[in-house]
Each structure stands twice: as structure tokens, then as C-alpha cells.
Amino acid sequence: MSLFEATGVSVRYGAVHALDTVDIALDPGVLHGVIGPNGAGKSTFLDALSGRVKPSAGTVRYVGEDITRRPPRWRRHRGIARSFQRTSVFASMTVRAQLDMVAHRQGADDVAAVVEALELGPVLDRVCAEIAYGTQRSVDLALALIGNPRVVLLDEPCAGLVADESVRLLDHVRRLCRERDVAAVLVEHDVDGVFRVCDVITVLNLGKVLAHGAPAEVRADAEVVRAYLGSAA
Ligand SMILES: Nc1ncnc2c1ncn2[C@@H]1O[C@H](COP(=O)(O)OP(=O)(O)OP(=O)(O)O)[C@@H](O)[C@H]1O
Ligand SMILES: [Mg+2]
């Protein structure tokens, strides 16, 4: 049994079948990439795993317990954290105030450790609107890591970053996953980055799993090349 398992998860938005019987199994220390074209259902999948949307079918299990109907707050308190595709930092607050706010909500005391891990010390007393966009994305990641979650779901943490910022953030994600023994999902369009840092990859297309396996295997998959990678492979 894996720490976190989703089986046959489907999500409908009216007539749109955004997710169709998708499975995933997450284990501590393993970084699991989820890639696929725009509209493939990647964010919807994270919404279902984090409790933001209710699946129309399927089961989500955490430490063996069926948590399919549990709300996001319940999951976050028990160690399932996520970050969003759009930056969710508050522009007018300082970095420190936001980290403290989340720590207070979680009853956590690990702000200093997270700040050190993500090298946020120099910007702690800056207002978020005034720091570089790349650093704001690190703050997003930091907010998800407070309280030492066991499962971390990241939706395009590198969106809008330049290449070297992207490399740096993904290195942080990989290291945090290994060092803290976190079971992590990384949704990302930076395909080279995903293939570099992830241990296993699931490819979604039109709401379904198109391929699943080790990075080299997935990269060589003819269907994946045709539907998504194209010349990038
Ligand atoms: N709230 C919603 N209401 C209706 N349809 C939605 C909603 N959210 C997503 N969809 C639809 O569900 C499908 C999957 O969308 P989703 O945002 O999960 O894709 P994605 O893989 O995250 O795409 P992107 O790479 O652009 O972020 C799309 O067809 C989208 O239009
Ligand atoms: Mg998305």
C-alpha cells in the first residue's frame, strides 16, 4: 500500500469530462511528475487530490483511510498540502507575516526551517509585491511546506520563471522531497525540468492517463511524443 492512492478518479464539469478514471500512487521520498497538454486535466487532478473538487467517481486514500469526501482544510491539517498554478501570496503582506499566518493556522513551528531550506532569509521583511516574481514562487512553495506535510501537490511552481530560476526551484523541490521524505506531485510544463528531477511520470491527455513510468520510458513513448512532446522530445 502506498501512502497516498487515488483510484479511478473522474471529475465532470457539466458535459465536460475533465478527468476520466485516473490512478496515482504516491510514496515518501518519490517525486511524481504529471505532464500533458493545456486542458489535459492536470489542475483538476490536483483539485481532486486536495479536496477542492469532489470526484464523480473514484476513491482517494491516505494512510489506508478513504478521504475522498474530506474537505481541503481537513487534508491540510493531516499533512496533504498543495500550491496553485497562480501565485497565491498576498501582495501587501510581508513574507514573514504570511509564513507566520499559515504556521499559526497549522499549529506549526517550522517557519525557520522552511525559510532556510528555500533561502528566503534576505526577503523575510519585504512586502511580497516588491520582491521578484521568482522569489514569490519560492514563497508559494514555502507556504505549502509549513507544518511538515507528508504529501505535497505542486501546480506549475515554475510558471513564469526564467530558465535558471526554474532549475533552482526544481532542485529545491527534489531536495525537499528526498530530505523530508515527502511524497510529491509536480505538475509542470517545463518538460526538461520534469524529466530531470522526477522519479516517475504520468502523462495526462484529454483527462485520461496516456502513459506512466520512469522518465526515459515515458520520453520514448510514441503516443506521448505524438500527443504532447512533439519535437521537444
Ligand atoms: N471550473 C471549471 N468549470 C468547467 N470546466 C472546467 C473547470 N475547470 C477546468 N475545466 C475544464 O476541464 C478541463 C481540464 O482543465 P484543467 O485546468 O484541469 O487542465 P490543465 O491540464 O491544468 O491545463 P493547463 O495546462 O492549461 O493548466 C478543460 O477542458 C477545462 O476547460
Ligand atoms: Mg492547470
Side-chain angles (χ1 to χ4, degrees):
M1 185 186 76
S2 290
L3 176 67
F4 187 101
E5 292 177 340
T7 318
V9 171
S10 299
V11 174
R12 284 173 184 274
Y13 293 116
V16 178
H17 219 144
L19 211 61
D20 190 356
T21 54
V22 173
D23 299 340
I24 203 166
L26 307 177
D27 294 295
V30 177
L31 182 51
H32 195 128
V34 174
I35 59 174
N38 291 117
K42 304 180 298 294
S43 296
T44 301
F45 192 35
L46 294 196
D47 287 343
L49 300 183
S50 66
R52 201 157 169 257
V53 302
K54 298 280 168 269
S56 54
T59 309
V60 180
R61 288 185 171 275
Y62 176 54
V63 208
E65 182 186 349
D66 184 344
I67 62 159
T68 316
R69 304 281 145 196
R70 296 288 192 184
R73 267 181 92 89
W74 186 96
R75 298 185 201 207
R76 181 64 172 94
H77 273 286
R78 282 157 187 82
I80 302 166
R82 79 168 287 180
S83 73
F84 290 91
Q85 192 163 342
R86 283 166 184 256
T87 300
S88 53
V89 298
F90 289 106
S92 61
M93 281 176 88
T94 63
V95 172
R96 188 194 300 276
Q98 287 187 66
L99 294 169
D100 285 346
M101 184 177 73
V102 173
H104 180 71
R105 203 191 293 147
Q106 296 300 323
D109 59 2
D110 58 348
V111 169
V114 172
V115 165
E116 194 190 333
L118 289 171
E119 299 166 18
L120 289 172
V123 297
L124 264 185
D125 292 310
R126 302 273 303 279
V127 167
C128 279
E130 291 170 2
I131 63 176
Y133 182 72
T135 314
Q136 290 184 19
R137 301 261 41 184
S138 292
V139 175
D140 263 325
L141 178 57
L143 294 172
L145 293 173
I146 286 176
N148 215 2
R150 299 178 73 189
V151 176
V152 174
L153 311 167
L154 303 172
D155 199 354
E156 299 196 33
C158 298
L161 300 189
V162 297
D164 61 334
E165 287 176 328
S166 187
V167 166
R168 206 164 142 261
L169 193 63
L170 290 183
D171 283 344
H172 276 307
V173 170
R174 176 161 66 176
R175 219 184 48 243
L176 290 162
C177 180
R178 300 270 156 78
E179 288 175 3
R180 293 173 165 233
D181 226 17
V182 169
V185 174
L186 173 67
V187 168
E188 193 48 74
H189 275 291
D190 173 1
V191 170
D192 287 333
V194 170
F195 281 109
R196 186 171 62 83
V197 300
C198 291
D199 304 297
V200 59
I201 293 172
T202 295
V203 185
L204 291 181
N205 188 38
L206 301 172
K208 294 185 201 254
V209 175
L210 183 67
H212 170 79
E217 212 178 311
V218 167
R219 192 159 213 162
D221 186 294
E223 281 296 299
V224 176
V225 172
R226 190 187 57 74
Y228 183 50
L229 297 177
S231 57

